[in-house]
Amino acid sequence: RFAVIFIDGTHVEGRTVVAAVGVTTDSQKIPIGIIEGDSENAEVVKELLSSIRDRNFQFAATKILAVLDGSKALKNALRALWGDNVVIQRCYIHKARNLCEYMPKRAHSEIYSRLKKIMGLNTYSAAKHEYELFARYLGSMSFDAEKSLREAGEDLLILHRLDVIGELRKSLTTTNVIENLMNRIKDK
């Protein structure tokens, strides 16, 4: 029975590979699905998730936490399949990479630093306050960067809302689990 599902896509030889890793209630990380397509689109992801569901994938509780790279296709597919029974946490590293595309190079380390600080705060109110300060900082240099951060919104702070703290939160704020798996596969 699974408490968390990580889903992320990567490019391999001009194709997109979307993978899912589930985390059981006893902290086992288990690869549970992989699919290849032309892009990380909703249909490809729905097919992956349907395959996982059809193999008797079971939630450990009434809801499951999904950690995603931020792709709208992933989010839409999860919502289509499981509705409100899925809670989304956005990968802050993917969001930092995205924000860097809008900002001058001199601001990149500040972006990573501030997002990491937000993710490390212990309370939702403290994280929300820093999030707002960060949004204003971005807006002072790039309207599009601020818009991008606000688009992520509460999905960046869901673990704060759930009062998940410490090492558990740290391990649930990125899709590194999948990226590490995919890098090993690429190396082979």
Side-chain angles (χ1 to χ4, degrees):
R1 294 171 53 91
F2 293 88
V4 180
I5 185 170
F6 290 86
I7 306 172
D8 196 4
T10 190
H11 299 286
V12 179
E13 298 294 323
R15 301 279 289 163
T16 298
V17 176
V18 180
V21 172
V23 180
T24 64
T25 54
D26 60 349
S27 301
Q28 291 183 57
K29 297 173 195 158
I30 302 171
I32 55 175
I34 191 165
I35 193 166
E36 179 184 359
D38 288 331
S39 68
E40 195 175 294
N41 66 54
E43 290 309 311
V44 168
V45 176
K46 281 181 191 174
E47 188 176 331
L48 171 67
L49 294 174
S50 295
S51 166
I52 293 167
R53 181 196 58 202
D54 294 346
R55 286 182 279 120
N56 205 22
F57 179 83
Q58 294 183 1
F59 297 169
T62 57
K63 295 187 182 234
I64 190 165
L65 175 68
V67 183
L68 311 176
D69 66 0
S71 160
K72 287 184 174 86
L74 292 178
K75 187 174 182 176
N76 291 341
L78 281 162
R79 292 275 184 236
L81 193 64
W82 291 316
D84 291 335
N85 291 329
V86 65
V87 178
I88 309 281
Q89 170 66 46
R90 292 278 294 268
C91 172
Y92 86 89
I93 292 175
H94 276 87
K95 180 45 65 181
R97 289 176 193 153
N98 178 258
L99 293 172
C100 286
E101 293 176 13
Y102 298 104
M103 298 289 282
K105 190 159 184 72
R106 62 181 159 76
H108 291 187
S109 63
E110 181 76 8
I111 289 168
Y112 280 94
S113 175
R114 290 183 84 156
L115 274 172
K116 187 174 183 178
K117 178 182 179 183
I118 291 168
M119 302 316 329
L121 293 170
N122 285 329
T123 66
Y124 172 77
S125 60
K128 184 69 173 175
H129 176 73
E130 282 299 319
Y131 173 93
E132 289 301 325
L133 292 175
F134 183 45
R136 280 183 257 161
Y137 163 78
L138 293 171
S140 72
M141 293 197 285
S142 168
F143 169 80
D144 290 327
E146 179 182 4
K147 181 180 171 187
S148 177
L149 178 68
R150 293 200 183 278
E151 173 272 325
E154 291 295 308
D155 289 352
L156 279 173
L157 303 176
I158 197 65
L159 293 171
H160 290 88
R161 277 204 181 270
L162 297 172
D163 292 323
V164 176
I165 60 172
E167 287 300 312
L168 180 57
R169 184 189 311 139
K170 187 176 178 181
S171 68
L172 297 175
T173 57
T174 74
T175 56
N176 283 349
V177 166
I178 290 186
E179 290 186 21
N180 293 340
L181 174 67
M182 297 306 281
N183 286 336
R184 284 190 204 148
I185 291 169
K186 286 179 184 179
D187 288 345
K188 298 283 182 200

